[in-house]
Amino acid sequence: MTEPSPPAMPRRQLGRTGIEVSVLGLGTVKLGRNQGVKYPQGFAIPDDDAVRELLACAADLGINLIDTAPAYGSSEERLGQLLPGPRERWVLCTKVGEEFAAGKSHHDFSPAAVRESVERSLRRLRTDWLDLVLVHSDGNDLDLIAHSGALETLAELKRAGKLRAFGMSTKTLAGGLRAAECCDLLMVTWNLADESQLPVIDRCHQLGTGVLIKKALASGHAAAGGDPVRAAFTRLLGHPGVASLVVGTIDQEHLRANVATARDCIRGDPSTPRSS
């Protein structure tokens, strides 16, 4: 007798983008970088077989949102090689503006750098289009919005069909509030220890700007299971403006536990349609 399939992963609309994302997304910094990261414990970058198994597990669990970035070392290239098809199964989110080399981050938000970054991500991810592209802010959010030309360049690339939606991964309250007015989506920090960006999420909800949450478990400083995770997921997924929590892991058991907890936290919520 075969075991029953797990319940489908709930999905939500990402603001007004028309893109539907699983309420948990998989962050992939650990697939390509283990230097200069703020996790409580060190880790080894997994080999190809382990990555294939992790991505297959994510697919089986109904996760469709994969978050990566040029600053995540070899993450983009590995996803391009190892992500199981078909392409339409996945919502791929990457970033522009930050590189990581020789143990340091380097930033370039110029239009030329943004264009080259998008073209390189397309090649690395082996795809004809990117679903979501975010400006990977260095913390100078307002200046980037007003003077870099990065968002305007992403808007042009969207019109050209290179990407479906664009926005920013912001770091400041003022920057987030401004970006909410001129972006399709934002990625913002929110966890039980840091609710400083809640006004940004509220504003995004008012405007129909999509919201992805980063650091929902405080970069692993919340426990990997049990009440802290449940409390965080219940609080964050309870906000009607939040589409998905991007949580990074290379441990299949942690991934399964997080998915089960997310399902439990929003079970019976009529505003969250189940994926088919």
Side-chain angles (χ1 to χ4, degrees), residues 162-181:
K162 302 285 187 178
L163 53 105
R164 297 173 66 193
F166 69 91
M168 287 187 72
S169 177
T170 56
K171 292 190 175 181
T172 66
L173 179 59
L177 291 171
R178 178 68 186 94
E181 300 174 351

Side-chain angles (χ1 to χ4, degrees), residues 48 52 76-83 124-126:
D48 285 356
R52 284 192 189 93
E76 284 186 319
E77 291 174 306
R78 302 192 77 195
L79 287 170
Q81 295 167 5
L82 303 173
L83 198 66
R124 287 177 171 177
L125 288 163
R126 303 185 184 186

Side-chain angles (χ1 to χ4, degrees), residues 16-214:
R16 59 178 177 271
T17 66
I19 299 171
E20 194 177 59
V21 294
S22 50
V23 297
L24 281 189
L26 179 62
T28 64
V29 63
K30 289 184 175 181
L31 302 190
R33 171 179 163 186
N34 60 4
Q35 293 181 311
V37 290
K38 299 178 180 179
Y39 293 101
Q41 296 179 334
F43 60 92
I45 294 174
D47 63 21
D48 285 356
D49 287 341
V51 172
R52 284 192 189 93
E53 292 175 3
L54 178 73
L55 295 174
C57 177
D60 289 344
L61 291 169
I63 291 172
N64 75 336
L65 175 62
I66 303 290
D67 179 66
T68 185
Y72 296 172
S74 60
S75 173
E76 284 186 319
E77 291 174 306
R78 302 192 77 195
L79 287 170
Q81 295 167 5
L82 303 173
L83 198 66
R87 168 66 178 88
E88 292 78 8
R89 169 188 289 171
W90 304 104
V91 175
L92 297 181
C93 177
T94 191
K95 305 178 187 73
V96 297
E98 182 180 352
E99 311 283 338
F100 185 83
K104 294 183 179 180
S105 286
H106 307 273
H107 298 90
D108 188 344
F109 301 98
S110 67
V114 168
R115 289 181 180 277
E116 170 54 30
S117 184
V118 167
E119 293 293 345
R120 185 184 57 199
S121 292
L122 288 166
R123 293 192 300 270
R124 287 177 171 177
L125 288 163
R126 303 185 184 186
T127 181
D128 294 329
W129 78 95
L130 301 168
D131 297 289
L132 314 173
V133 180
L134 306 174
V135 175
H136 211 165
S137 177
D138 61 355
N140 297 305
D141 294 343
L142 289 175
D143 185 64
L144 291 176
I145 295 167
H147 303 299
S148 72
L151 290 176
E152 291 84 353
T153 302
L154 289 178
E156 293 173 6
L157 292 167
K158 177 183 175 181
R159 290 191 290 270
K162 302 285 187 178
L163 53 105
R164 297 173 66 193
F166 69 91
M168 287 187 72
S169 177
T170 56
K171 292 190 175 181
T172 66
L173 179 59
L177 291 171
R178 178 68 186 94
E181 300 174 351
C182 56
C183 292
D184 297 324
L185 73 147
L186 300 186
M187 180 178 281
V188 299
T189 296
W190 188 17
N191 56 62
L192 295 181
D194 182 0
E195 298 204 327
S196 62
Q197 301 298 307
L198 190 53
V200 175
I201 300 165
D202 291 339
R203 183 59 174 154
C204 285
H205 181 50
Q206 292 171 352
L207 296 172
T209 305
V211 176
L212 304 177
I213 299 297
K214 58 185 175 180

Side-chain angles (χ1 to χ4, degrees), residues 254-271:
H254 287 173
L255 185 61
R256 292 181 188 279
N258 287 340
V259 166
T261 300
R263 288 194 187 109
D264 288 346
C265 289
I266 60 178
R267 183 171 292 161
D269 179 357
S271 69

